[in-house]
Amino acid sequence: MATKLAFYLLLLFTSHFRFSSSGELRSMESIPDLQDSMYMVIDGYPCVRLLNLSGQIGCSNPGREKVVAPIIRFKSADELAQKSAVLVSMDEVQEFFTRHAVFFIFKLVVGCVSTYVEYIMYPKEITTLSNDSRFAKNIGGVLVESRAGTRNKLQGFSPAEKFPQAEFAPYSNISYQWNQIGSGIMWKAYDFPVFLLSESSRLTLQEAVMENEKTKSGYTTNVAEFELVMQTTKAGTPHSESCLKEGACLPLGGYSVWSSLPPINISSSYQSKPIILLVASMDSASFFRDKSLGADSPISGLIALLAAVDALSRVDGLNNLSKQLVFLIPTGEAWGYLGSRRFLFELDLQSDAVNGLNSSLIETVIEIGSVGKGLNQEVKTFFTHTAGVSFAINDTLDALKRAQESLKSENVSILSANPSNPGIPPSSLMAFLRKNPLTSGVVLEDFDTAFTNKFYHSHLDDLSNVNSSSIAAAASLVARSVFILASNNKDLDSSILGDIKVNVSLVEELMGCLLDCNPGLSCELVKNYISPTTTCPSHYAGVVLGEPTPKPNPEYVDDISRFVWNFLADRTAIPKTNASSSCSQDCSNKSEVCIRAETDGKGVCVLSTTRFVPAYSTRLKFDSGFWNVLPPNSSDPLGLVDPVWTESNWDTIGLRVYTVQDAAYDRSVLLGGVAVTILANLAIVLTRTFITKALKRD
């Protein structure tokens, strides 16, 4: 009875704490109902702590405890009066994290008619928020609003650097600005939590901050509670080497995929065909960990590659080609070209992950970069960025021109990049060129001298930022070009090229699966191959789980890598006369792989050379359950500049909003209660005394 009485008393005094957009209270019948009424869990995407050999970037609670702070709206204030959770609109983010101070210069202008004072406004040197301790000390956390249509209102937003990963460039001009709109704010460290709000949560936070603004002198305040405590903060490990030793972090990376068309006879020790290597990256980056779509950069290139493979797989006579087609889809490219560098490293070792490949046979590398924004006035225009001059490069450019001519009816144009460019743009080809400067390579992009993607490495680089006809045109161009190169026939019949047709519906389906939550990874195409762990796709590389191996446990491989592996294995497979053999993991024939094993537990063995390649830093070694950082090796020039990226572990990440009473009000209530108690006791004593005296007189 006492417990029930306490519950109802608590309900009576706290039911007004939870704000509600409807203004109505929900019926509550238990303690969990009461908690749900008092605390609103907010859906959002966190910025997390990443580390490298020299320090850290990203966001985290400053200590080991949760952060609780009143919610205020950012109004370009230079000072915060107290520790606050700042609600920032998307168009204010750049201003907030990169603060521009303004000063005026006055000069006296003496004219023939009059004399006047002219003032000129100059911005001071940019002060990043991560270095502005005076302002940052009172930031309890940051809540970023992002609403539908925001991208159309912004001129651009890119938290990446102006020359992404310049340290890996195969040329000396690293001050060049490929990403002119880049602010670099995602490469700074912030000792406070930052969350990107979902659409529904944005409305909740707006209501909370409006209530705070209305009741500035009131006794209640809406606060945000941030739970973004990183293990590296707890362990006191400020860089990758120390946190790996303490087990407080894991290396960034995952699993790249490579495949060949037609399959390579791995039982033969002698491979003589030159290799045409077609490359497209499968990972992107963003200020917010789980909101890394990278629609134009680089997933448009990935979709174009998959569509090109699909088109080539339907061509007859692939076994008669003079050259071998190999497809590489690396991951971890946004974090030091982890996938392509590890692929080259495994080639040097001739490991099982690259069995059947020989690096000396790679004749040309063709990379499909950002190709989702090539549509301009009904013309799909692409630019070829080359590394040096060679016969192989000239042959590739000629093949691209011939492919363009075969696509005249589709208004496809291909142009050479401006010769004033310092070299190729940021791309996986950089890793190949730093490994071997004589590598012949071409990068196909939708830009010439600078990125046309104004949302590079931003959560706003989404489905609405790309065009399906541009991606399909790039796929057609690449499919026909590599077929021309592989056939080594300059008099190839145009009718043969005409038979290489990209399935535009497949391109659109891939876009819906890989770049949107609806249908997202629950689309039929993906579910035909794997059982996805989530619906909304994200192309953040993630971390390496367990011991890296060319035959990993599917639980340790992300959805995108597993889907790409299954798709390529299926499309590049040789049809079998007996296709009834089922499998759950491996096939008896070493030349075969088991696809669709996740869908119903009964996969199918197909003859295909499709492999996983672990993607992680070449400066790391996994030994006896632990990761160790290896000393730099002069034979690995990229290892000398390798940051060795890791991600901090954490227990839970959460954000919730609730109402608290002002401490002064609580004290006044307490004092009032004490006063009432004293007066009540005094009244009781006086009343008792009065009654006693009255009774005695009677």
Side-chain angles (χ1 to χ4, degrees):
M1 184 65 185
T3 303
K4 287 187 177 180
L5 179 60
F7 168 68
Y8 286 115
L9 286 173
L10 183 62
L11 176 60
L12 176 65
F13 286 106
T14 62
S15 60
H16 66 285
F17 284 6
R18 163 78 176 272
F19 54 90
S20 170
S21 57
S22 64
E24 298 178 359
L25 285 175
R26 192 176 59 181
S27 62
M28 290 170 283
E29 300 177 352
S30 63
I31 294 295
D33 286 344
L34 176 61
Q35 291 176 333
D36 289 342
S37 177
M38 293 175 62
Y39 302 102
M40 177 175 284
V41 177
I42 300 300
D43 183 27
Y45 306 91
C47 158
V48 301
R49 177 71 79 217
L50 301 178
L51 303 94
N52 57 33
L53 291 178
S54 59
Q56 51 193 7
I57 66 171
C59 317
S60 171
N61 281 19
R64 303 184 180 190
E65 304 298 329
K66 298 177 183 179
V67 173
V68 179
I71 308 165
I72 67 166
R73 200 188 304 273
F74 175 62
K75 295 181 178 178
S76 306
D78 285 334
E79 296 291 342
L80 295 174
Q82 60 178 333
K83 184 79 75 173
S84 305
V86 186
L87 183 64
V88 183
S89 64
M90 196 57 232
D91 55 355
E92 295 173 327
V93 169
Q94 192 92 347
E95 179 185 359
F96 182 83
F97 284 97
T98 307
R99 306 180 68 220
H100 298 260
V102 177
F103 66 95
F104 297 90
I105 292 180
F106 297 88
K107 69 176 181 179
L108 188 67
V109 179
V110 180
C112 298
V113 179
S114 62
T115 300
Y116 60 95
V117 174
E118 181 181 275
Y119 64 89
I120 307 171
M121 183 174 67
Y122 286 95
K124 284 183 180 179
E125 181 179 353
I126 295 173
T127 303
T128 57
L129 181 59
S130 61
N131 296 325
D132 188 357
S133 59
R134 185 170 60 89
F135 183 76
K137 67 180 181 180
N138 278 332
I139 298 177
V142 179
L143 303 164
V144 180
E145 299 179 80
S146 186
R147 67 184 71 189
T150 297
R151 198 179 62 81
N152 298 327
K153 298 178 182 179
L154 295 174
Q155 292 184 346
F157 173 68
S158 174
E161 297 167 314
K162 294 185 181 300
F163 190 149
Q165 305 192 92
E167 63 271 25
F168 294 96
Y171 44 83
S172 58
N173 184 6
I174 59 175
S175 61
Y176 188 82
Q177 295 185 5
W178 289 105
N179 183 28
Q180 295 177 350
I181 205 167
S183 63
I185 61 173
M186 67 178 284
W187 296 92
K188 306 293 182 182
Y190 305 98
D191 286 329
F192 49 80
V194 181
F195 279 80
L196 174 69
L197 301 174
S198 65
E199 181 67 19
S200 59
S201 296
R202 177 183 68 83
L203 299 175
T204 301
L205 266 297
Q206 282 187 343
E207 182 183 349
V209 77
M210 282 192 293
E211 286 194 9
N212 283 349
E213 290 170 350
K214 290 178 182 177
T215 58
K216 284 185 178 179
S217 58
Y219 58 85
T220 62
T221 304
N222 293 321
V223 299
E225 179 186 271
F226 299 89
E227 188 171 5
L228 193 67
V229 180
M230 298 285 114
Q231 289 292 338
T232 51
T233 303
K234 288 184 176 182
T237 52
H239 48 72
S240 289
E241 188 164 13
S242 59
C243 75
L244 287 171
K245 285 182 179 178
E246 293 296 325
C249 63
L250 287 170
L252 289 191
Y255 284 89
S256 305
V257 179
W258 73 270
S259 186
S260 67
L261 187 69
I264 296 172
N265 184 5
I266 60 174
S267 61
S268 173
S269 60
Y270 180 70
Q271 304 293 337
S272 60
K273 283 186 178 182
I275 293 173
I276 298 171
L277 185 63
L278 191 58
V279 182
S281 174
M282 74 166 89
D283 77 292
S284 185
S286 166
F287 193 81
F288 305 101
R289 183 189 190 274
D290 298 318
K291 199 68 172 174
S292 303
L293 285 172
D296 185 44
S297 308
I299 304 305
S300 62
L302 168 63
I303 294 173
L305 185 147
L306 296 179
V309 172
D310 175 71
L312 289 167
S313 68
R314 297 192 299 272
V315 177
D316 295 328
L318 292 175
N319 287 319
N320 299 324
L321 293 176
S322 302
K323 299 174 184 179
Q324 179 69 53
L325 296 178
V326 175
F327 313 104
L328 172 65
I329 299 91
T331 190
E333 298 300 270
W335 304 98
Y337 302 111
L338 297 175
S340 51
R341 287 175 50 218
R342 174 58 61 172
F343 175 76
L344 291 169
F345 185 80
E346 299 293 330
L347 279 177
D348 285 346
L349 295 178
Q350 279 296 292
S351 69
D352 291 340
V354 291
N355 186 17
L357 293 181
N358 188 330
S359 60
S360 64
L361 293 176
I362 299 176
E363 182 180 273
T364 307
V365 178
I366 302 174
E367 181 167 358
I368 314 176
S370 304
V371 293
K373 301 179 72 64
L375 182 65
N376 184 16
Q377 296 180 346
E378 301 303 321
V379 178
K380 298 96 172 181
T381 304
F382 304 100
F383 296 88
T384 54
H385 299 257
T386 58
V389 178
S390 69
F391 289 115
I393 289 178
N394 291 336
D395 287 344
T396 303
L397 296 177
D398 289 342
L400 286 165
K401 285 292 184 183
R402 291 178 62 189
Q404 174 198 336
E405 292 171 1
S406 72
L407 293 166
K408 280 184 178 179
S409 62
E410 299 184 28
N411 292 327
V412 178
S413 174
I414 187 162
L415 303 172
S416 297
N418 196 315
S420 64
N421 291 351
I424 61 172
S427 55
S428 300
L429 183 56
M430 284 186 168
F432 286 84
L433 288 170
R434 288 294 297 269
K435 176 71 174 178
N436 179 8
L438 299 179
T439 301
S440 297
V442 176
V443 184
L444 188 70
E445 302 276 10
D446 57 16
F447 61 85
D448 184 5
T449 58
F451 296 170
T452 55
N453 182 9
K454 300 302 181 183
F455 302 98
Y456 179 84
H457 280 185
S458 157
H459 66 282
L460 296 174
D461 186 11
D462 56 19
L463 182 62
S464 61
N465 196 38
V466 292
N467 185 280
S468 61
S469 61
S470 178
I471 298 175
S476 297
L477 195 63
V478 169
R480 296 187 181 192
S481 299
V482 297
F483 186 82
I484 292 170
L485 287 171
S487 63
N488 201 23
N489 183 0
K490 295 184 178 181
D491 299 320
L492 195 65
D493 194 313
S494 59
S495 63
I496 298 177
L497 291 180
D499 290 337
I500 304 176
K501 296 180 180 179
V502 165
N503 185 346
V504 178
S505 296
L506 173 64
V507 170
E508 294 172 347
E509 188 175 10
L510 284 166
M511 291 173 66
C513 296
L514 302 180
L515 299 176
D516 199 7
C517 290
N518 186 19
L521 297 178
S522 63
C523 68
E524 287 302 317
L525 179 61
V526 171
K527 290 172 67 176
N528 187 39
Y529 291 112
I530 67 169
S531 297
T533 58
T534 184
T535 298
C536 290
S538 178
H539 301 287
Y540 173 66
V543 295
V544 182
L545 300 173
E547 181 177 6
T549 170
K551 293 185 177 181
N553 185 327
E555 294 180 357
Y556 293 164
V557 185
D558 66 50
D559 291 342
I560 305 300
S561 293
R562 298 196 328 275
F563 165 69
V564 168
W565 184 92
N566 275 273
F567 182 92
L568 289 179
D570 184 28
R571 293 303 199 270
T572 62
I574 294 177
K576 294 175 60 179
T577 55
N578 178 19
S580 61
S581 57
S582 62
C583 57
S584 59
Q585 187 172 2
D586 293 321
C587 300
S588 57
N589 188 335
K590 291 184 179 180
S591 298
E592 296 179 352
V593 294
C594 181
I595 64 172
R596 298 191 177 97
E598 297 180 42
T599 54
D600 56 7
K602 294 181 180 180
V604 179
C605 288
V606 295
L607 185 61
S608 174
T609 311
T610 303
R611 303 284 185 269
F612 283 119
V613 184
Y616 59 97
S617 171
T618 55
R619 289 280 306 275
L620 291 176
K621 182 180 181 181
F622 188 83
D623 187 22
S624 302
F626 293 94
W627 289 96
N628 299 310
V629 178
L630 302 174
N633 189 335
S634 58
S635 63
D636 179 16
L638 289 181
L640 299 174
V641 295
D642 187 352
V644 187
W645 288 107
T646 57
E647 178 184 276
S648 174
N649 299 335
W650 61 77
D651 291 329
T652 57
I653 289 180
L655 172 65
R656 61 181 186 173
V657 172
Y658 53 91
T659 305
V660 297
Q661 290 185 155
D662 183 70
Y665 176 78
D666 288 342
R667 287 192 292 270
S668 66
V669 170
L670 176 62
L671 292 175
V674 171
V676 168
T677 301
I678 293 173
L679 290 173
N681 285 326
L682 181 61
I684 291 171
V685 171
L686 292 174
T687 302
R688 183 180 297 169
T689 302
F690 175 78
I691 292 174
T692 301
K693 289 182 177 179
L695 290 174
K696 285 182 177 179
R697 282 197 295 268
D698 292 342

